[in-house]
Amino acid sequence: MTLQHERLSTTSLAWSPNWEDVFDSVGQNRPLVVEIGFGYGQMLLYLAHTRPHANILGIEVASKPLATMESRLRRNQLHHVRVMYGYAEALLSHLLEPGSVSEFHVNFPDPWFKTSHQHRRLMKRRTLDYIASRLRVGGRLYLATDIEAYAQMSHALLRATPTLTNEFETAWVNHYPDRARTKYEQKALQEGRTIHYFVYQRNTHPALDLPVIKESPMPHLVFRTDGNLDTIYHAFQREQFAHPEASIYIAMLDVYQNPNSLLFEIHIKEETIEQHVAVLLVRRKDDPSEWVLKLSMLGHPRITHGVHKAVSHLAEIVQRSVPITILHNKLLGYDETLSA
Ligand SMILES: C[S@@+](CC[C@H](N)C(=O)[O-])C[C@H]1O[C@@H](n2cnc3c(N)ncnc32)[C@H](O)[C@@H]1O
């Protein structure tokens, strides 16, 4: 059970959590309804009032709307509604099981039309595949946008999703009275813009195989060396690089030295999560000729492929700077046979 006042985030909950536990509704088998990017929460409150027997989850990346909703929910004692900090992409791939959601609501997603920003767009193939996979059969995706080009692009993506069926005979409708008006919607209407509403239902077509992406095992490397810490310290360089095959970006930021340890500061950006982590190189107390390279649990990092790639990169730096004998290698995909 989580405390109702505790802030939920995609990194504070297990991958994947028991949602009945999170909502304190164990045994009640409540449907799960999710709103992505709820802003100032008009739709979330509408969902709370129209779906009293569901668990309603809102996810938002902006802190001001999040804090506003948190205090509003506390004041109104709406125990079946929870809000969460994080990117929808992380919620979809790490925290929601396939077939576990009854409704998704997406209202006025940011368009991100510049080519260099397109990867941030919510409506894209990968994210829509996850949304479709997380819906239970019969569940619905509700989407609204006031931007014609975004509507056209969403229509093309939705039409190419065999697991979703359009509820309308047209690509979208421009009037959908049976819903709350969000803040952004009110502004768009006042300014004379047309709204495009989509409702798609999850059909019985077999879903894509998109299991929850769980955490990886703890990364670490144990080795023996007579080399000295100074040499490794000086071999470290500030640098940034990408692992294109997995869309991972790593920035090696800094290194700090103590008599018996080094602490490396690293930023890791992956498709679903961005983390600032610390990695330690420490001398073993029981055998001072043995060293351990391991992730520090400072800041409660999630152990992802990106974290393994970053620790492996440090292992490479160590291995190139001093002669080592590897005793245990728990780094995913780390090739110990480096050419000198
Ligand atoms: C244009 S505003 C619309 C807000 C609200 N839905 C409304 O209609 O008034 C888009 C909202 O989505 C949030 N957002 C954008 N990308 C997101 C993502 N990947 N995950 C969660 N929230 C996101 C933004 O912080 C912003 O509050």
Side-chain angles (χ1 to χ4, degrees), residues 233-299:
Y233 175 82
H234 290 293
F236 178 89
Q237 283 180 347
R238 274 177 153 252
E239 58 180 320
Q240 292 188 40
F241 54 92
H243 277 277
E245 91 279 4
S247 306
I248 299 169
Y249 297 87
I250 297 174
M252 295 284 165
L253 298 178
D254 227 326
V255 57
Y256 305 89
Q257 188 169 17
N258 268 324
N260 283 316
S261 64
L262 294 179
L263 184 148
F264 302 93
E265 187 188 348
I266 306 173
H267 194 84
I268 307 163
K269 191 168 180 303
E270 294 168 76
E271 223 162 349
T272 58
I273 180 171
E274 197 167 338
Q275 308 191 83
H276 207 81
V277 303
V279 176
L280 294 167
L281 176 60
V282 285
R283 194 192 283 274
R284 279 200 150 164
K285 285 199 182 90
D286 44 345
D287 184 347
S289 70
E290 284 187 15
W291 293 82
V292 186
L293 183 66
K294 61 180 184 182
L295 182 68
S296 154
M297 292 318 281
L298 201 75

Side-chain angles (χ1 to χ4, degrees), residues 37-39 60-62 86-89 107-108 110 122 182-184:
F38 56 79
E60 182 48 75
V61 275
Y87 284 91
E89 292 78 356
N107 291 302
F108 306 91
D110 298 316
L122 193 79
T182 69
K183 187 172 175 195
Y184 195 92

Side-chain angles (χ1 to χ4, degrees), residues 35-43 59-63 65 84 86-89 106-112 120-122 144 179 181-186:
E35 186 182 4
I36 294 173
F38 56 79
Y40 285 93
Q42 291 80 5
M43 178 61 79
I59 182 159
E60 182 48 75
V61 275
S63 13
M84 165 182 263
Y87 284 91
E89 292 78 356
V106 182
N107 291 302
F108 306 91
D110 298 316
W112 299 117
R120 298 188 191 166
R121 220 185 257 168
L122 193 79
R179 55 172 266 146
R181 284 216 168 131
T182 69
K183 187 172 175 195
Y184 195 92
E185 186 171 7
Q186 287 165 28

Side-chain angles (χ1 to χ4, degrees), residues 69-272:
M69 256 337 263
E70 278 173 336
S71 57
R72 191 170 291 166
L73 293 177
R74 263 197 304 274
R75 269 202 315 277
N76 294 347
Q77 300 273 306
L78 291 168
H79 298 302
H80 67 304
V81 187
R82 300 292 316 257
V83 288
M84 165 182 263
Y85 169 76
Y87 284 91
E89 292 78 356
L91 172 71
L92 289 163
S93 47
H94 300 296
L95 289 101
L96 294 171
E97 293 286 342
S100 64
V101 176
S102 291
E103 297 173 33
F104 279 105
H105 295 259
V106 182
N107 291 302
F108 306 91
D110 298 316
W112 299 117
F113 273 130
K114 271 194 192 162
T115 314
S116 59
H117 290 162
Q118 271 178 17
H119 64 280
R120 298 188 191 166
R121 220 185 257 168
L122 193 79
M123 288 301 283
K124 55 177 185 265
R125 186 71 268 154
R126 184 179 193 275
T127 313
L128 184 57
D129 283 344
Y130 269 94
I131 289 179
S133 136
R134 276 35 184 163
L135 278 174
R136 64 166 177 78
V137 169
R140 287 187 172 84
L141 164 64
Y142 297 83
L143 167 72
T145 178
D146 58 327
I147 301 167
E148 168 81 22
Y150 201 90
Q152 293 288 3
M153 184 267 308
S154 303
H155 170 57
L157 283 170
L158 286 160
R159 205 176 42 179
T161 311
T163 48
L164 296 177
T165 304
N166 191 352
E167 295 253 301
F168 304 128
E169 280 166 13
T170 47
W172 58 72
V173 295
N174 297 124
H175 297 281
Y176 195 74
D178 196 16
R179 55 172 266 146
R181 284 216 168 131
T182 69
K183 187 172 175 195
Y184 195 92
E185 186 171 7
Q186 287 165 28
K187 190 163 172 267
L189 288 169
Q190 271 160 20
E191 292 171 4
R193 290 197 292 280
T194 302
I195 317 284
H196 312 73
Y197 300 98
F198 299 78
V199 182
Y200 273 71
Q201 191 174 35
R202 170 75 172 89
N203 57 39
T204 53
H205 200 281
L208 288 178
D209 184 26
L210 294 172
V212 165
I213 304 173
K214 305 265 182 196
E215 277 189 271
S216 305
M218 207 55 167
H220 72 244
L221 187 78
V222 182
F223 59 89
R224 188 166 283 147
T225 184
D226 297 326
N228 86 41
L229 215 52
D230 256 6
T231 317
I232 302 171
Y233 175 82
H234 290 293
F236 178 89
Q237 283 180 347
R238 274 177 153 252
E239 58 180 320
Q240 292 188 40
F241 54 92
H243 277 277
E245 91 279 4
S247 306
I248 299 169
Y249 297 87
I250 297 174
M252 295 284 165
L253 298 178
D254 227 326
V255 57
Y256 305 89
Q257 188 169 17
N258 268 324
N260 283 316
S261 64
L262 294 179
L263 184 148
F264 302 93
E265 187 188 348
I266 306 173
H267 194 84
I268 307 163
K269 191 168 180 303
E270 294 168 76
E271 223 162 349
T272 58

